[in-house]
Amino acid sequence: MKRPQLKDLTLREKVGQTVCVRENLLTNIPDLSEYLKKYPYGCIWAMGNQLNDTENMGEETNKNGKATGKAYLKTTKKLMAATKIPVLMVGNTESGFSSVFPELTHNMGQMAVSATNDEALIYEQAAAIAREMKASGVQWKWSPNIDTDDLHGYSAYGRAYSGDPDQIIRCAIAAVRGTQSEGVAVSVKHFPGKDGVDYRDSHFASTFNMQTREEWEKTNGYIYREIIRESDPWAIMVGHQGLPCVDNTKMPNGTFIPSTLSYKILTELLKGELGYKGVVITDAIGMGALYTHMPESELYVHLLLAGNDMILGPTPQATDDYIDYVEQAVLDGRIPESRIDDACERVLQMKEKLGMFQEDFGLDLEITPELLAKTHEIEASAARKAITLVRDDGMLPLKKENLHKVLIAPVSYWPEFDEAIHHTGKLLEAKGIQVDYMLPTEVDKWAYVKTMVDMEQYDLVLCGSYLRAHRPAGVPGYNHWHQRFLQFLQTYANNKLVAVAYGSPHIYFDYFTNTGKAFIAAYDYTKELQEAVVDALFGEIPFQGKCPFTLIPDWFVNNPFL
């Protein structure tokens, strides 16, 4: 297929390249190929066939009743062949693509790979994730996340590489290069970055980076300039947080303008001063920090005028309307056609880099046992280098002969974690140790005295915490039952309590600086990380990881009374 030129495209076709629609909104359409001729979307958000429509979005289903990666690849090829400009499939893959296709690898997230301090491993892991994505028909991902770690804020909980700009740069460059080496595009996010103070979640609230311009240049500006120059990311995702040091325009409700709506931030700063030539895509537009400012159709106009090249995720009631509305806005003179041309050209250039216009282009990778085995090998190597011993009060290494019965106590909002932690139990059982489990919801059934007696039967209590961004939604934190559960464990099992953070290690300062006998940061709950934790607990491998975050805040460390 010859690369389309702007002069050969209709206005409608050019507008179509500026939007990414949610896959689950395209189900139950009798003939999807014909539909895409009328609505020539540039990109589809792969969400794993959420509505279980096996007619349009894949014929084979996995254990969750969703399309398998193998089936999705067939669908992708069919849609690409049916569209004048090949449609690009994209997915959210901060911890691999198993959230969409469970048969794929659950990869450790950015916290864990950063803790390895091994850029070669980060490159290899990114390339492996890209291969699994491509074998599922998906060639664009929304990562890496290069937000700076704010101590107890939303982005800190599981999504950031570090709070150190230089470490973020090293990790991100390796991840971008590894991903794009396999013909998969990245989306570095969330420009213009966080300030380390505003802890809120843009899904729900208007958020702001309140740095001065000098502060921004030394942190987020420095990070983006280096990554753009050294790795040439093919896309950058813009967050909805305001940056008043660059644009202090006020919205009608009195808040600072979101970056996604700011011409000064996107066109003058990102595309102008930073010289970025790739695709600029919004974060999902249905978030509270953006969506509450004006009607959705008006958002399209202002987002494009600000300098966004692709609009992510029109809401269900507006998906079919996007192309119609933007096309009419151009014809009415509200959006210059030159702005659409620039956005469309950037998207076409990215598709060209992905090889989508080559005559022999084909998504030829297949999901095979060998492909998955290679990924698991990389994950195992990274896991052994990632796990971090934060504190040990003489408890470690454990001696198998001293452990007859162990209690595993998971603390999370995530049923998948509560189930996954049983892998650790099986590893302990393989050593001849009896294992019990107790959830936070069970603790209230126990009388205080009975709790004390029952805890005496265990030689070790392993408290596995899983708290991270989106788990739960909003600002992460434990609820009443979680905190009461932790209190029970600290009261009745403190002298034999080992805590492992299988999510954010920031819980250390909140709960474990002076309780329990040891604290380990595993950063994620992949099988490989669980295996590395057990091996290290028994002294079979060393703890090699270095926590990339400041777990004890400066205001505490620098306190003159300490």
Side-chain angles (χ1 to χ4, degrees):
M1 173 188 295
K2 188 177 180 181
R3 181 203 186 281
Q5 301 300 312
L6 291 178
K7 63 182 178 63
D8 300 322
L9 299 176
T10 66
L11 174 59
R12 188 173 186 83
E13 289 168 338
K14 291 187 292 186
V15 169
Q17 294 304 299
T18 67
V19 66
C20 177
V21 298
R22 300 169 186 265
E23 170 233 80
N24 61 343
L25 304 180
L26 302 180
T27 53
N28 300 316
I29 295 173
D31 190 333
L32 192 53
S33 297
E34 284 299 315
Y35 174 85
L36 289 176
K37 291 178 183 178
K38 181 179 179 182
Y39 297 100
Y41 300 127
C43 186
I44 296 176
W45 182 352
M47 305 175 80
N49 191 11
Q50 289 192 337
L51 296 187
N52 304 333
D53 184 337
T54 57
E55 187 68 28
N56 281 331
M57 303 305 291
E59 298 170 355
E60 302 170 42
T61 58
N62 54 36
K63 65 179 183 180
N64 293 342
K66 299 180 180 181
T68 63
K70 181 179 179 181
Y72 212 87
L73 178 61
K74 294 178 183 178
T75 300
T76 299
K77 288 181 175 180
K78 177 182 176 182
L79 296 182
M80 291 178 66
T83 50
K84 179 177 178 180
I85 304 173
V87 64
L88 177 58
M89 311 300 285
V90 61
N92 206 357
T93 59
E94 290 183 22
S95 294
F97 219 34
S98 63
S99 60
V100 179
F101 304 116
E103 69 272 20
L104 301 185
T105 306
H106 174 193
N107 303 90
M108 67 182 70
Q110 292 185 189
M111 288 189 298
V113 293
S114 180
T116 69
N117 204 30
D118 189 329
E119 293 160 52
L121 263 178
I122 295 171
Y123 179 101
E124 290 181 23
Q125 189 216 33
I129 293 172
R131 288 190 290 270
E132 290 193 13
M133 290 180 63
K134 202 169 180 179
S136 304
V138 181
Q139 279 190 273
W140 189 11
K141 70 175 188 175
W142 292 322
S143 63
N145 183 324
I146 62 170
D147 293 337
T148 52
D149 166 61
D150 39 25
L151 185 61
H152 281 177
Y154 167 70
S155 65
Y157 274 82
R159 310 189 80 192
Y161 280 123
S162 177
D164 175 16
D166 288 309
Q167 183 157 347
I168 293 171
I169 290 167
R170 291 192 299 270
C171 292
I173 288 174
V176 171
R177 289 174 175 171
T179 301
Q180 294 184 168
S181 72
E182 295 292 335
V184 173
V186 300
S187 296
V188 173
K189 64 184 184 183
H190 304 84
F191 187 83
K194 305 274 188 175
D195 65 0
V197 177
D198 194 337
Y199 59 87
R200 295 170 299 169
D201 181 351
S202 294
H203 288 83
F204 306 100
S206 293
T207 62
F208 309 102
N209 181 330
M210 300 300 285
Q211 292 175 313
T212 65
R213 183 61 187 263
E214 183 180 6
E215 290 170 336
W216 184 85
E217 288 288 356
K218 290 180 178 179
T219 54
N220 292 293
Y222 169 54
I223 292 168
Y224 275 94
R225 289 179 194 275
E226 290 297 308
I227 291 171
I228 289 171
R229 182 173 68 246
E230 296 295 331
S231 63
D232 184 27
W234 295 342
I236 288 177
M237 178 178 284
V238 182
H240 302 308
Q241 68 272 22
L243 184 65
C245 70
V246 174
D247 191 347
N248 62 1
T249 301
K250 293 288 189 71
M251 301 300 288
N253 65 0
T255 61
F256 292 115
I257 187 171
S259 294
T260 36
L261 292 175
S262 172
Y263 182 89
K264 291 181 179 179
I265 293 172
L266 300 189
T267 300
E268 294 181 0
L269 176 60
L270 178 57
K271 292 182 174 181
E273 292 183 38
L274 273 62
Y276 183 63
K277 305 300 183 185
V279 173
V280 175
I281 180 172
T282 70
D283 205 340
I285 66 170
M287 296 185 185
L290 175 71
Y291 198 76
T292 55
H293 288 295
M294 63 187 73
E296 183 169 347
S297 57
E298 287 301 307
L299 277 176
Y300 303 153
V301 174
H302 291 281
L303 289 168
L304 289 165
L305 290 175
N308 295 286
D309 304 308
M310 185 171 282
I311 311 305
L312 172 57
T315 58
Q317 65 270 26
T319 297
D320 288 352
D321 298 336
Y322 176 85
I323 294 179
D324 293 336
Y325 191 89
V326 173
E327 182 182 33
Q328 191 59 51
V330 175
L331 295 175
D332 292 345
R334 286 178 289 158
I335 303 175
E337 189 166 355
S338 60
R339 173 75 273 271
I340 300 299
D341 286 347
D342 174 58
C344 179
E345 179 63 25
R346 287 173 181 253
V347 174
L348 292 177
Q349 287 177 2
M350 183 172 72
K351 290 186 175 183
E352 187 172 29
K353 291 175 181 176
L354 294 171
M356 298 179 74
F357 301 121
Q358 296 174 6
E359 292 296 335
D360 60 348
F361 174 74
L363 296 169
D364 298 326
L365 277 177
E366 294 184 2
I367 299 171
T368 62
E370 293 76 19
L371 180 72
L372 297 176
K374 177 61 178 175
T375 307
H376 285 294
E377 179 184 329
I378 295 168
E379 289 291 312
S381 296
R384 290 190 290 272
K385 296 191 73 172
I387 54 170
T388 305
L389 181 62
V390 177
R391 181 171 63 83
D392 173 30
D393 293 345
M395 184 79 167
L396 305 179
L398 301 174
K399 291 181 171 53
K400 183 173 65 174
E401 58 270 21
N402 296 336
L403 299 178
H404 304 288
K405 195 172 184 180
V406 170
L407 176 67
I408 294 179
V411 187
S412 80
Y413 288 87
W414 206 237
E416 290 180 12
F417 170 72
D418 297 341
E419 179 62 31
I421 198 67
H422 282 69
H423 184 62
T424 291
K426 292 175 182 178
L427 296 172
L428 295 176
E429 289 170 343
K431 296 179 180 293
I433 301 169
Q434 183 179 342
V435 176
D436 288 342
Y437 300 87
M438 186 171 76
L439 296 171
T441 51
E442 297 174 306
V443 74
D444 198 44
K445 301 175 184 177
W446 295 16
Y448 280 84
V449 175
K450 185 176 186 299
T451 300
M452 188 184 304
V453 172
D454 282 354
M455 290 306 241
E456 289 177 354
Q457 66 184 296
Y458 299 110
D459 304 302
L460 174 72
V461 175
L462 185 66
C463 176
S465 166
Y466 182 63
L467 190 65
R468 58 150 290 166
H470 298 309
R471 311 288 188 269
V475 179
Y478 283 133
N479 67 21
H480 170 82
W481 296 111
H482 295 132
Q483 303 213 37
R484 184 169 181 178
F485 188 47
L486 289 170
Q487 182 183 9
F488 268 102
L489 297 178
Q490 292 163 349
T491 301
Y492 297 118
N494 193 59
N495 64 337
K496 49 191 172 185
L497 178 64
V498 173
V500 182
Y502 290 103
S504 171
H506 288 289
I507 64 161
Y508 177 66
F509 184 68
D510 290 341
Y511 298 103
F512 292 105
T513 52
N514 62 341
T515 56
K517 302 297 288 184
F519 186 91
I520 297 160
Y523 309 102
D524 211 329
Y525 64 89
T526 68
K527 285 186 175 181
E528 294 83 4
L529 283 166
Q530 291 188 59
E531 290 160 6
V533 166
V534 171
D535 288 345
L537 282 173
F538 286 90
E540 296 168 11
I541 63 171
F543 287 98
Q544 299 183 63
K546 181 179 179 181
C547 186
F549 311 109
T550 301
L551 297 185
I552 307 296
D554 290 340
W555 64 261
F556 187 86
V557 173
N558 299 327
N559 191 305
F561 298 105
L562 295 178

